[in-house]
Amino acid sequence: MVVRTLPQYPIKKGEPAYKIWIFEPGWKGELPLITNPRQLAEQKRPALLPGHRLCAGCAAPIIVKLASLAFRGPTIVVSATGCIEVATTIFPYTSWAIPWIHNAFENSAATASGIESAIKALKKTGRLPYDHVDVVVFAGDGGTYDIGIQALSGAAERGHDFLYILYDNEAYMNTGIQRSGGTPKFAWTTTSPVGSVIPGKMEHKKPIADIMVAHRIPYVATTTPAHWIDLMKKVRKGIEVNGPAFIHALSPCDRGWRHAENLAIEISRRAVDTCYFPLWEWTPEKGYMLTDRSLSIARNPKLKQPIEKFLELQGRFRHLLKPENRHLLKELQEYVDAMWEDLLNRATNAPK
Amino acid sequence: MVEERLRGWRELPLGAVTYRLSTDYKTGDWRALKPVVNLNKCVKCMLCWIYCPDMAVIWDGEKIVINYDYCKGCGICAQECPVKAIDMVPEYEER
């Protein structure tokens, strides 16, 4: 048995700098959801440890970290193959301070359903020493949009109680920026190169969150790491509902989106400000509800920015800003506007 | 950190179980730019703690400390700091 030791850093007040989440058998109650940043920094520690080998400036660990700050107790994390899995668990190292399992690219939702059924069986026979054990899936866009959608759809149909968090970096970044079902139209990738024949990818992004809404599961939401309170609240809601929940989080990738490595948060903020990626949540009772910044934009349309604001920071859309490609930019702006109008019509809390 | 002897197949845990913490692997040497906190300007809003992708910002109860063992120098903290109290300085001065 290897003794695991964490590095110690001097702390005057609060929790140690890094800790492994250990819940004694018989642990009861729920961890509180704290949204005061100072209290968070004193009382909570993320489930991801430093030393993971994701690129500098990646937004995926921010999503994992913020989500883990909203966990309510003992949690098991399932990861599909993707950047998170490859970079956090390079043998023999692991970055997870909580139980973690990886199976394959396509069956993260199926693995999560199995774990959830096992927990249910243990609870029934009185062998589970906890009130509740939550199952959370972290999967990338390749493992959700393309390869994993049948497992996800099946798990949603069977109604297993788990939370599926999709961190969407809009291509297969882990294997070298190939297009996926999540890549937006006109984006450069290595398999949809920009040139004289095609202007980047020719198809629109698949509306994965709306596909999950069509399953009528108890909770669906979209979020970005820049709106961190919004993300934490949605993760907590998704864990608390009884049944499958799905959260679509935008995760800027500095290598694949070709932006400076300090801009991940700024780009996700602009994605919401330009209505390219609106923030909403859906429940069967209330329907679509806009949240956070998108609700402000719905109430005051002057806050909506043109799509160039989002594109200008990214090298994968550089060709759209050239004068000869103005018609492409106009087409993209019209598409974003149409999607936003459509969402406004569906949203129950948007001013009519 | 002294690297332990590589294990043979008899000693490895079954089922590809990872048995060491990644905190043993210091990612600080990836860094080209180094964040330096100006504590006179810092308002302790903790946004750098929240947005740091590498958990390299430590709140010790009184002030922000950057953990250079793990900081990869991405600069998100300096970009998001509302009072611009964090400067990115080159790790090695050119001579």
CSV table of all heavy atoms in Angstrom, one decimal, chain A residues 2 7 9 12-13 18 38 41-42 48 50 52-54 57 61-62 65 92-95 225-226 228 262 265 269, chain B residues 7 18-22 25 30 44 46 49-55 58-60 67 69-70 72 74-75 79-80:
chain,number,residue,atom,x,y,z
A,2,VAL,N,0.6,2.1,-1.0
A,2,VAL,CA,1.4,3.3,-1.0
A,2,VAL,C,0.8,4.4,-0.2
A,2,VAL,O,-0.4,4.6,-0.2
A,2,VAL,CB,1.5,3.8,-2.5
A,2,VAL,CG1,2.3,5.1,-2.6
A,2,VAL,CG2,2.0,2.7,-3.4
A,7,PRO,N,1.4,17.7,-0.3
A,7,PRO,CA,2.3,18.8,0.1
A,7,PRO,C,1.6,19.7,1.1
A,7,PRO,O,0.5,20.0,1.0
A,7,PRO,CB,2.7,19.5,-1.2
A,7,PRO,CG,1.6,19.2,-2.1
A,7,PRO,CD,1.1,17.8,-1.8
A,9,TYR,N,1.4,23.4,2.9
A,9,TYR,CA,1.7,24.8,2.8
A,9,TYR,C,1.2,25.5,4.1
A,9,TYR,O,0.1,25.2,4.5
A,9,TYR,CB,1.2,25.4,1.5
A,9,TYR,CG,1.8,24.8,0.3
A,9,TYR,CD1,1.2,23.7,-0.3
A,9,TYR,CD2,3.0,25.2,-0.2
A,9,TYR,CE1,1.7,23.1,-1.4
A,9,TYR,CE2,3.6,24.7,-1.3
A,9,TYR,CZ,2.9,23.6,-1.9
A,9,TYR,OH,3.5,23.0,-3.0
A,12,LYS,N,-2.9,30.1,7.8
A,12,LYS,CA,-3.2,30.7,9.1
A,12,LYS,C,-4.6,30.4,9.5
A,12,LYS,O,-4.8,30.3,10.7
A,12,LYS,CB,-2.9,32.2,9.0
A,12,LYS,CG,-1.5,32.5,8.7
A,12,LYS,CD,-1.2,34.0,9.1
A,12,LYS,CE,0.3,34.3,8.8
A,12,LYS,NZ,0.5,34.7,7.4
A,13,LYS,N,-5.5,30.3,8.6
A,13,LYS,CA,-6.9,30.1,9.0
A,13,LYS,C,-7.6,29.3,7.9
A,13,LYS,O,-7.3,29.5,6.7
A,13,LYS,CB,-7.6,31.5,9.1
A,13,LYS,CG,-8.8,31.5,9.9
A,13,LYS,CD,-9.3,33.0,10.0
A,13,LYS,CE,-10.7,33.2,9.5
A,13,LYS,NZ,-11.0,34.6,9.3
A,18,TYR,N,-4.5,21.8,0.2
A,18,TYR,CA,-5.1,20.8,-0.6
A,18,TYR,C,-5.5,19.6,0.3
A,18,TYR,O,-4.8,19.3,1.2
A,18,TYR,CB,-4.0,20.3,-1.6
A,18,TYR,CG,-3.4,21.4,-2.4
A,18,TYR,CD1,-2.1,21.8,-2.3
A,18,TYR,CD2,-4.2,22.0,-3.3
A,18,TYR,CE1,-1.6,22.8,-3.0
A,18,TYR,CE2,-3.7,23.1,-4.1
A,18,TYR,CZ,-2.4,23.5,-3.9
A,18,TYR,OH,-1.9,24.5,-4.6
A,38,ARG,N,-14.8,34.5,-0.4
A,38,ARG,CA,-13.9,34.4,0.7
A,38,ARG,C,-14.2,33.2,1.6
A,38,ARG,O,-13.3,32.5,2.0
A,38,ARG,CB,-14.0,35.7,1.6
A,38,ARG,CG,-12.8,35.9,2.6
A,38,ARG,CD,-11.7,36.7,2.0
A,38,ARG,NE,-12.1,37.9,1.4
A,38,ARG,CZ,-12.3,39.1,2.1
A,38,ARG,NH1,-12.0,39.1,3.3
A,38,ARG,NH2,-12.6,40.2,1.4
A,41,ALA,N,-13.1,30.1,-0.2
A,41,ALA,CA,-11.6,29.9,-0.2
A,41,ALA,C,-11.2,29.4,1.2
A,41,ALA,O,-10.2,28.7,1.3
A,41,ALA,CB,-10.9,31.2,-0.5
A,42,GLU,N,-11.9,29.7,2.2
A,42,GLU,CA,-11.5,29.3,3.6
A,42,GLU,C,-12.1,27.9,3.9
A,42,GLU,O,-11.4,27.1,4.5
A,42,GLU,CB,-12.1,30.2,4.6
A,42,GLU,CG,-11.0,31.3,5.0
A,42,GLU,CD,-11.6,32.4,5.9
A,42,GLU,OE1,-12.6,32.1,6.6
A,42,GLU,OE2,-11.1,33.5,5.8
A,48,LEU,N,-10.3,18.5,-7.5
A,48,LEU,CA,-9.2,18.3,-8.5
A,48,LEU,C,-8.0,18.9,-7.8
A,48,LEU,O,-7.9,20.0,-7.3
A,48,LEU,CB,-9.5,19.1,-9.8
A,48,LEU,CG,-8.8,18.7,-11.0
A,48,LEU,CD1,-9.1,17.2,-11.4
A,48,LEU,CD2,-9.1,19.6,-12.2
A,50,PRO,N,-3.8,20.0,-7.9
A,50,PRO,CA,-2.9,20.5,-8.8
A,50,PRO,C,-1.9,19.4,-9.3
A,50,PRO,O,-1.9,18.3,-8.8
A,50,PRO,CB,-2.2,21.6,-8.1
A,50,PRO,CG,-2.3,21.2,-6.7
A,50,PRO,CD,-3.6,20.5,-6.5
A,52,HIS,N,-2.2,18.3,-12.5
A,52,HIS,CA,-2.8,17.7,-13.7
A,52,HIS,C,-2.1,18.4,-14.9
A,52,HIS,O,-1.6,19.5,-14.8
A,52,HIS,CB,-4.3,17.9,-13.7
A,52,HIS,CG,-4.7,19.4,-13.7
A,52,HIS,ND1,-4.6,20.1,-14.9
A,52,HIS,CD2,-5.1,20.2,-12.8
A,52,HIS,CE1,-5.0,21.4,-14.6
A,52,HIS,NE2,-5.3,21.4,-13.4
A,53,ARG,N,-2.1,17.7,-16.0
A,53,ARG,CA,-1.3,18.1,-17.1
A,53,ARG,C,-2.2,18.7,-18.3
A,53,ARG,O,-1.9,18.5,-19.4
A,53,ARG,CB,-0.4,17.0,-17.6
A,53,ARG,CG,0.7,16.9,-16.6
A,53,ARG,CD,1.6,15.8,-16.9
A,53,ARG,NE,1.7,14.8,-15.9
A,53,ARG,CZ,2.4,13.7,-15.9
A,53,ARG,NH1,3.1,13.4,-16.9
A,53,ARG,NH2,2.4,12.9,-14.9
A,54,LEU,N,-3.3,19.3,-17.9
A,54,LEU,CA,-4.1,20.0,-19.0
A,54,LEU,C,-3.3,21.3,-19.3
A,54,LEU,O,-2.5,21.8,-18.5
A,54,LEU,CB,-5.4,20.5,-18.4
A,54,LEU,CG,-6.4,19.3,-18.3
A,54,LEU,CD1,-7.4,19.6,-17.2
A,54,LEU,CD2,-7.1,19.0,-19.6
A,57,GLY,N,-4.0,27.6,-19.2
A,57,GLY,CA,-5.1,28.4,-19.7
A,57,GLY,C,-6.3,27.6,-20.2
A,57,GLY,O,-7.2,28.2,-20.8
A,61,PRO,N,-10.5,22.5,-16.4
A,61,PRO,CA,-10.3,22.3,-15.0
A,61,PRO,C,-11.1,23.3,-14.1
A,61,PRO,O,-11.4,23.0,-13.0
A,61,PRO,CB,-8.8,22.4,-14.8
A,61,PRO,CG,-8.3,23.1,-16.0
A,61,PRO,CD,-9.2,22.7,-17.1
A,62,ILE,N,-11.3,24.5,-14.7
A,62,ILE,CA,-12.1,25.5,-13.9
A,62,ILE,C,-13.5,25.0,-13.8
A,62,ILE,O,-14.1,25.1,-12.7
A,62,ILE,CB,-12.1,26.9,-14.7
A,62,ILE,CG1,-10.7,27.3,-15.0
A,62,ILE,CG2,-12.8,27.9,-13.8
A,62,ILE,CD1,-10.5,28.6,-15.7
A,65,LYS,N,-13.5,22.2,-11.2
A,65,LYS,CA,-13.2,22.8,-9.9
A,65,LYS,C,-14.5,23.4,-9.3
A,65,LYS,O,-14.9,23.2,-8.2
A,65,LYS,CB,-12.1,23.8,-10.0
A,65,LYS,CG,-11.8,24.7,-8.9
A,65,LYS,CD,-10.8,25.7,-9.3
A,65,LYS,CE,-10.4,26.6,-8.2
A,65,LYS,NZ,-9.3,27.5,-8.6
A,92,PRO,N,1.4,6.7,-13.2
A,92,PRO,CA,0.6,6.3,-12.1
A,92,PRO,C,0.0,7.4,-11.3
A,92,PRO,O,-0.4,7.2,-10.1
A,92,PRO,CB,1.6,5.5,-11.2
A,92,PRO,CG,2.9,6.3,-11.4
A,92,PRO,CD,2.8,6.9,-12.8
A,93,TYR,N,-0.2,8.6,-11.9
A,93,TYR,CA,-0.6,9.8,-11.1
A,93,TYR,C,-2.1,9.9,-11.3
A,93,TYR,O,-2.7,9.7,-12.3
A,93,TYR,CB,0.0,11.0,-11.6
A,93,TYR,CG,1.5,11.0,-11.4
A,93,TYR,CD1,2.3,10.8,-12.5
A,93,TYR,CD2,2.1,11.3,-10.2
A,93,TYR,CE1,3.7,10.8,-12.4
A,93,TYR,CE2,3.5,11.3,-10.1
A,93,TYR,CZ,4.3,11.0,-11.2
A,93,TYR,OH,5.6,11.0,-11.0
A,94,THR,N,-2.8,10.4,-10.3
A,94,THR,CA,-4.2,10.8,-10.4
A,94,THR,C,-4.4,12.2,-9.7
A,94,THR,O,-3.8,12.5,-8.7
A,94,THR,CB,-5.2,9.8,-9.8
A,94,THR,OG1,-6.5,10.3,-9.9
A,94,THR,CG2,-4.9,9.5,-8.3
A,95,SER,N,-5.2,13.0,-10.3
A,95,SER,CA,-5.5,14.4,-9.8
A,95,SER,C,-6.8,14.4,-9.0
A,95,SER,O,-7.1,15.5,-8.6
A,95,SER,CB,-5.5,15.4,-10.9
A,95,SER,OG,-4.4,15.4,-11.7
A,225,PRO,N,-17.8,28.8,-17.5
A,225,PRO,CA,-17.0,29.0,-16.3
A,225,PRO,C,-16.9,30.5,-15.9
A,225,PRO,O,-16.7,30.8,-14.7
A,225,PRO,CB,-15.6,28.5,-16.7
A,225,PRO,CG,-15.6,28.4,-18.1
A,225,PRO,CD,-17.0,28.2,-18.6
A,226,ALA,N,-17.1,31.4,-16.8
A,226,ALA,CA,-17.0,32.9,-16.4
A,226,ALA,C,-18.1,33.2,-15.4
A,226,ALA,O,-17.9,34.1,-14.6
A,226,ALA,CB,-17.1,33.7,-17.7
A,228,TRP,N,-19.5,32.0,-12.7
A,228,TRP,CA,-19.2,30.9,-11.8
A,228,TRP,C,-20.3,30.6,-10.7
A,228,TRP,O,-20.5,29.5,-10.4
A,228,TRP,CB,-17.9,31.1,-11.1
A,228,TRP,CG,-17.8,32.4,-10.3
A,228,TRP,CD1,-17.5,33.6,-10.8
A,228,TRP,CD2,-17.9,32.5,-8.9
A,228,TRP,NE1,-17.4,34.5,-9.8
A,228,TRP,CE2,-17.7,33.9,-8.6
A,228,TRP,CE3,-18.2,31.7,-7.9
A,228,TRP,CZ2,-17.8,34.4,-7.3
A,228,TRP,CZ3,-18.3,32.2,-6.6
A,228,TRP,CH2,-18.1,33.5,-6.4
A,262,ASN,N,-4.5,33.6,-21.7
A,262,ASN,CA,-5.1,34.2,-20.6
A,262,ASN,C,-6.5,34.6,-20.9
A,262,ASN,O,-7.1,35.3,-20.0
A,262,ASN,CB,-4.3,35.4,-20.1
A,262,ASN,CG,-4.1,36.4,-21.2
A,262,ASN,OD1,-4.5,36.2,-22.3
A,262,ASN,ND2,-3.6,37.6,-20.8
A,265,ILE,N,-11.5,32.9,-19.8
A,265,ILE,CA,-12.7,33.4,-19.1
A,265,ILE,C,-13.4,34.6,-19.9
A,265,ILE,O,-14.6,34.6,-20.0
A,265,ILE,CB,-12.3,33.9,-17.7
A,265,ILE,CG1,-11.7,32.7,-16.9
A,265,ILE,CG2,-13.4,34.5,-17.0
A,265,ILE,CD1,-12.7,31.7,-16.6
A,269,ARG,N,-17.2,34.8,-21.4
A,269,ARG,CA,-18.0,35.9,-21.1
A,269,ARG,C,-18.6,36.5,-22.3
A,269,ARG,O,-19.8,36.8,-22.4
A,269,ARG,CB,-17.2,36.9,-20.3
A,269,ARG,CG,-18.1,38.0,-19.6
A,269,ARG,CD,-17.2,38.9,-18.8
A,269,ARG,NE,-16.7,38.2,-17.6
A,269,ARG,CZ,-15.5,38.2,-17.2
A,269,ARG,NH1,-14.5,38.9,-17.8
A,269,ARG,NH2,-15.1,37.6,-16.1
B,7,ARG,N,8.0,-0.1,-10.9
B,7,ARG,CA,7.4,-1.4,-10.4
B,7,ARG,C,7.3,-2.4,-11.5
B,7,ARG,O,7.1,-2.1,-12.7
B,7,ARG,CB,6.0,-1.1,-9.9
B,7,ARG,CG,6.0,-0.2,-8.7
B,7,ARG,CD,4.6,0.0,-8.2
B,7,ARG,NE,4.6,0.8,-7.0
B,7,ARG,CZ,3.6,0.8,-6.2
B,7,ARG,NH1,2.6,0.0,-6.4
B,7,ARG,NH2,3.6,1.5,-5.1
B,18,THR,N,-4.6,4.0,-10.6
B,18,THR,CA,-3.5,5.0,-10.4
B,18,THR,C,-3.3,5.1,-8.9
B,18,THR,O,-4.2,5.2,-8.1
B,18,THR,CB,-4.0,6.4,-11.0
B,18,THR,OG1,-5.3,6.6,-10.5
B,18,THR,CG2,-4.0,6.4,-12.4
B,19,TYR,N,-2.0,5.1,-8.5
B,19,TYR,CA,-1.8,5.0,-7.0
B,19,TYR,C,-1.0,6.1,-6.5
B,19,TYR,O,-0.6,6.1,-5.3
B,19,TYR,CB,-1.1,3.6,-6.7
B,19,TYR,CG,0.2,3.4,-7.5
B,19,TYR,CD1,1.4,3.8,-7.0
B,19,TYR,CD2,0.2,2.8,-8.7
B,19,TYR,CE1,2.6,3.6,-7.7
B,19,TYR,CE2,1.4,2.6,-9.4
B,19,TYR,CZ,2.6,3.0,-8.9
B,19,TYR,OH,3.7,2.8,-9.6
B,20,ARG,N,-0.6,7.1,-7.3
B,20,ARG,CA,0.1,8.2,-6.8
B,20,ARG,C,-0.6,9.5,-7.0
B,20,ARG,O,-1.4,9.6,-8.0
B,20,ARG,CB,1.5,8.3,-7.4
B,20,ARG,CG,2.5,7.3,-6.9
B,20,ARG,CD,3.8,7.4,-7.6
B,20,ARG,NE,4.5,8.6,-7.1
B,20,ARG,CZ,5.7,9.0,-7.5
B,20,ARG,NH1,6.3,8.2,-8.4
B,20,ARG,NH2,6.3,10.0,-7.1
B,21,LEU,N,-0.5,10.5,-6.2
B,21,LEU,CA,-1.2,11.8,-6.4
B,21,LEU,C,-0.4,12.6,-7.3
B,21,LEU,O,0.8,12.7,-7.3
B,21,LEU,CB,-1.3,12.5,-5.0
B,21,LEU,CG,-2.3,11.8,-4.1
B,21,LEU,CD1,-2.2,12.6,-2.7
B,21,LEU,CD2,-3.7,11.9,-4.6
B,22,SER,N,-1.1,13.4,-8.2
B,22,SER,CA,-0.5,14.2,-9.2
B,22,SER,C,0.3,15.4,-8.5
B,22,SER,O,1.0,16.1,-9.2
B,22,SER,CB,-1.5,14.7,-10.2
B,22,SER,OG,-2.3,15.6,-9.6
B,25,TYR,N,3.8,15.6,-9.1
B,25,TYR,CA,4.3,16.1,-10.4
B,25,TYR,C,4.2,17.6,-10.4
B,25,TYR,O,3.1,18.1,-10.6
B,25,TYR,CB,3.5,15.4,-11.5
B,25,TYR,CG,4.0,15.7,-12.9
B,25,TYR,CD1,5.0,14.9,-13.4
B,25,TYR,CD2,3.6,16.8,-13.6
B,25,TYR,CE1,5.5,15.1,-14.7
B,25,TYR,CE2,4.1,17.0,-14.9
B,25,TYR,CZ,5.0,16.2,-15.4
B,25,TYR,OH,5.5,16.4,-16.7
B,30,TRP,N,6.6,24.5,-16.4
B,30,TRP,CA,6.0,24.8,-17.7
B,30,TRP,C,6.0,26.3,-18.0
B,30,TRP,O,5.7,26.8,-19.1
B,30,TRP,CB,4.6,24.4,-17.8
B,30,TRP,CG,4.3,22.9,-17.8
B,30,TRP,CD1,5.2,21.9,-17.3
B,30,TRP,CD2,3.1,22.2,-18.2
B,30,TRP,NE1,4.6,20.7,-17.4
B,30,TRP,CE2,3.4,20.9,-17.9
B,30,TRP,CE3,1.9,22.6,-18.7
B,30,TRP,CZ2,2.4,19.9,-18.2
B,30,TRP,CZ3,1.0,21.7,-19.0
B,30,TRP,CH2,1.2,20.3,-18.7
B,44,LYS,N,-8.7,41.4,-2.1
B,44,LYS,CA,-9.1,40.1,-1.6
B,44,LYS,C,-10.5,39.7,-2.1
B,44,LYS,O,-11.3,39.2,-1.3
B,44,LYS,CB,-9.0,40.1,-0.1
B,44,LYS,CG,-7.6,40.4,0.4
B,44,LYS,CD,-7.5,40.5,1.9
B,44,LYS,CE,-6.1,40.9,2.3
B,44,LYS,NZ,-6.0,41.2,3.7
B,46,MET,N,-10.9,37.3,-4.2
B,46,MET,CA,-10.8,35.9,-4.4
B,46,MET,C,-11.1,35.4,-5.8
B,46,MET,O,-11.3,34.2,-6.0
B,46,MET,CB,-11.6,35.1,-3.4
B,46,MET,CG,-11.3,35.4,-2.0
B,46,MET,SD,-9.6,35.4,-1.5
B,46,MET,CE,-9.2,33.7,-1.8
B,49,TRP,N,-8.6,33.0,-7.0
B,49,TRP,CA,-8.7,31.7,-6.4
B,49,TRP,C,-9.7,30.9,-7.2
B,49,TRP,O,-9.6,29.7,-7.4
B,49,TRP,CB,-9.1,31.8,-5.0
B,49,TRP,CG,-9.1,30.5,-4.2
B,49,TRP,CD1,-8.0,30.0,-3.5
B,49,TRP,CD2,-10.2,29.7,-4.0
B,49,TRP,NE1,-8.4,28.8,-2.9
B,49,TRP,CE2,-9.8,28.6,-3.2
B,49,TRP,CE3,-11.5,29.7,-4.4
B,49,TRP,CZ2,-10.6,27.5,-2.9
B,49,TRP,CZ3,-12.4,28.6,-4.1
B,49,TRP,CH2,-11.9,27.6,-3.3
B,50,ILE,N,-10.8,31.6,-7.6
B,50,ILE,CA,-11.9,30.9,-8.2
B,50,ILE,C,-11.6,30.5,-9.6
B,50,ILE,O,-11.9,29.4,-10.1
B,50,ILE,CB,-13.2,31.8,-8.2
B,50,ILE,CG1,-13.8,31.7,-6.8
B,50,ILE,CG2,-14.2,31.4,-9.2
B,50,ILE,CD1,-14.8,32.8,-6.5
B,51,TYR,N,-10.9,31.4,-10.4
B,51,TYR,CA,-10.6,31.1,-11.8
B,51,TYR,C,-9.3,30.4,-12.1
B,51,TYR,O,-9.1,30.0,-13.2
B,51,TYR,CB,-10.6,32.4,-12.6
B,51,TYR,CG,-12.0,33.0,-12.8
B,51,TYR,CD1,-12.2,34.4,-12.6
B,51,TYR,CD2,-13.1,32.2,-13.2
B,51,TYR,CE1,-13.5,34.9,-12.8
B,51,TYR,CE2,-14.3,32.8,-13.4
B,51,TYR,CZ,-14.5,34.1,-13.2
B,51,TYR,OH,-15.8,34.7,-13.4
B,52,CYS,N,-8.5,30.2,-11.1
B,52,CYS,CA,-7.2,29.5,-11.4
B,52,CYS,C,-7.4,28.1,-11.8
B,52,CYS,O,-8.0,27.3,-11.1
B,52,CYS,CB,-6.3,29.5,-10.1
B,52,CYS,SG,-4.7,28.7,-10.5
B,53,PRO,N,-7.0,27.7,-13.0
B,53,PRO,CA,-7.2,26.3,-13.5
B,53,PRO,C,-6.3,25.3,-12.8
B,53,PRO,O,-6.5,24.1,-12.9
B,53,PRO,CB,-6.9,26.4,-15.0
B,53,PRO,CG,-6.5,27.7,-15.3
B,53,PRO,CD,-6.3,28.5,-14.0
B,54,ASP,N,-5.2,25.7,-12.1
B,54,ASP,CA,-4.3,24.8,-11.6
B,54,ASP,C,-4.3,24.8,-10.1
B,54,ASP,O,-3.4,24.2,-9.5
B,54,ASP,CB,-2.9,25.2,-12.1
B,54,ASP,CG,-2.8,25.1,-13.5
B,54,ASP,OD1,-3.1,24.0,-14.1
B,54,ASP,OD2,-2.4,26.1,-14.2
B,55,MET,N,-5.3,25.3,-9.4
B,55,MET,CA,-5.4,25.4,-8.0
B,55,MET,C,-4.1,25.9,-7.4
B,55,MET,O,-3.6,25.5,-6.3
B,55,MET,CB,-5.7,24.0,-7.4
B,55,MET,CG,-7.1,23.5,-7.5
B,55,MET,SD,-7.9,23.5,-9.1
B,55,MET,CE,-7.2,22.1,-9.8
B,58,ILE,N,-3.4,30.1,-3.4
B,58,ILE,CA,-3.7,29.6,-2.0
B,58,ILE,C,-4.1,30.8,-1.2
B,58,ILE,O,-3.5,31.9,-1.2
B,58,ILE,CB,-2.5,29.0,-1.4
B,58,ILE,CG1,-2.0,27.7,-2.2
B,58,ILE,CG2,-2.8,28.6,0.1
B,58,ILE,CD1,-0.8,27.1,-1.6
B,59,TRP,N,-5.2,30.7,-0.5
B,59,TRP,CA,-5.7,31.7,0.5
B,59,TRP,C,-5.3,31.2,1.8
B,59,TRP,O,-5.7,30.2,2.3
B,59,TRP,CB,-7.2,31.9,0.3
B,59,TRP,CG,-7.8,32.7,1.4
B,59,TRP,CD1,-8.6,32.2,2.4
B,59,TRP,CD2,-7.7,34.1,1.6
B,59,TRP,NE1,-9.0,33.3,3.2
B,59,TRP,CE2,-8.5,34.4,2.7
B,59,TRP,CE3,-7.0,35.1,0.9
B,59,TRP,CZ2,-8.6,35.7,3.2
B,59,TRP,CZ3,-7.2,36.4,1.4
B,59,TRP,CH2,-7.9,36.7,2.5
B,60,ASP,N,-4.3,31.9,2.5
B,60,ASP,CA,-3.8,31.4,3.7
B,60,ASP,C,-4.5,32.0,4.9
B,60,ASP,O,-4.1,31.9,6.1
B,60,ASP,CB,-2.3,31.6,3.8
B,60,ASP,CG,-1.9,33.0,4.2
B,60,ASP,OD1,-2.7,33.9,4.1
B,60,ASP,OD2,-0.7,33.2,4.5
B,67,ASN,N,1.3,29.6,-5.5
B,67,ASN,CA,2.1,28.3,-5.4
B,67,ASN,C,2.8,28.1,-6.7
B,67,ASN,O,2.3,27.6,-7.6
B,67,ASN,CB,1.1,27.2,-5.0
B,67,ASN,CG,1.9,25.9,-4.7
B,67,ASN,OD1,3.1,25.8,-5.0
B,67,ASN,ND2,1.2,25.0,-4.2
B,69,ASP,N,5.0,26.0,-7.4
B,69,ASP,CA,5.2,24.6,-7.7
B,69,ASP,C,4.3,24.1,-8.8
B,69,ASP,O,4.7,23.3,-9.6
B,69,ASP,CB,4.9,23.7,-6.5
B,69,ASP,CG,6.0,23.8,-5.5
B,69,ASP,OD1,7.1,24.4,-5.8
B,69,ASP,OD2,5.8,23.3,-4.4
B,70,TYR,N,3.1,24.7,-8.9
B,70,TYR,CA,2.1,24.2,-9.8
B,70,TYR,C,1.6,25.2,-10.9
B,70,TYR,O,1.0,24.8,-11.8
B,70,TYR,CB,0.9,23.6,-9.1
B,70,TYR,CG,1.2,22.6,-8.1
B,70,TYR,CD1,1.1,22.8,-6.7
B,70,TYR,CD2,1.7,21.4,-8.6
B,70,TYR,CE1,1.5,21.8,-5.8
B,70,TYR,CE2,2.1,20.4,-7.7
B,70,TYR,CZ,2.0,20.6,-6.3
B,70,TYR,OH,2.3,19.6,-5.5
B,72,LYS,N,1.1,27.3,-14.0
B,72,LYS,CA,1.6,27.1,-15.3
B,72,LYS,C,1.8,28.4,-16.0
B,72,LYS,O,2.2,28.4,-17.2
B,72,LYS,CB,0.7,26.2,-16.1
B,72,LYS,CG,0.6,24.7,-15.6
B,72,LYS,CD,-0.4,24.0,-16.3
B,72,LYS,CE,-0.6,22.6,-15.7
B,72,LYS,NZ,-1.9,22.0,-16.0
B,74,CYS,N,-0.5,30.8,-17.0
B,74,CYS,CA,-1.4,31.0,-18.1
B,74,CYS,C,-1.9,32.5,-18.1
B,74,CYS,O,-2.2,33.1,-19.1
B,74,CYS,CB,-2.7,30.1,-18.0
B,74,CYS,SG,-3.7,30.4,-16.5
B,75,GLY,N,-1.9,33.2,-16.9
B,75,GLY,CA,-2.2,34.6,-16.8
B,75,GLY,C,-3.7,34.9,-16.7
B,75,GLY,O,-4.1,36.0,-16.8
B,79,GLN,N,-5.5,38.6,-15.9
B,79,GLN,CA,-6.5,39.1,-16.8
B,79,GLN,C,-7.8,39.4,-16.1
B,79,GLN,O,-8.5,40.4,-16.4
B,79,GLN,CB,-6.8,38.0,-17.9
B,79,GLN,CG,-8.0,38.2,-18.8
B,79,GLN,CD,-7.7,39.3,-19.8
B,79,GLN,OE1,-6.6,39.7,-20.1
B,79,GLN,NE2,-8.8,39.9,-20.3
B,80,GLU,N,-8.2,38.5,-15.1
B,80,GLU,CA,-9.5,38.6,-14.5
B,80,GLU,C,-9.4,39.5,-13.2
B,80,GLU,O,-10.5,39.8,-12.6
B,80,GLU,CB,-10.0,37.3,-14.1
B,80,GLU,CG,-10.4,36.4,-15.3
B,80,GLU,CD,-11.4,37.1,-16.3
B,80,GLU,OE1,-12.3,37.7,-15.8
B,80,GLU,OE2,-11.1,37.1,-17.5
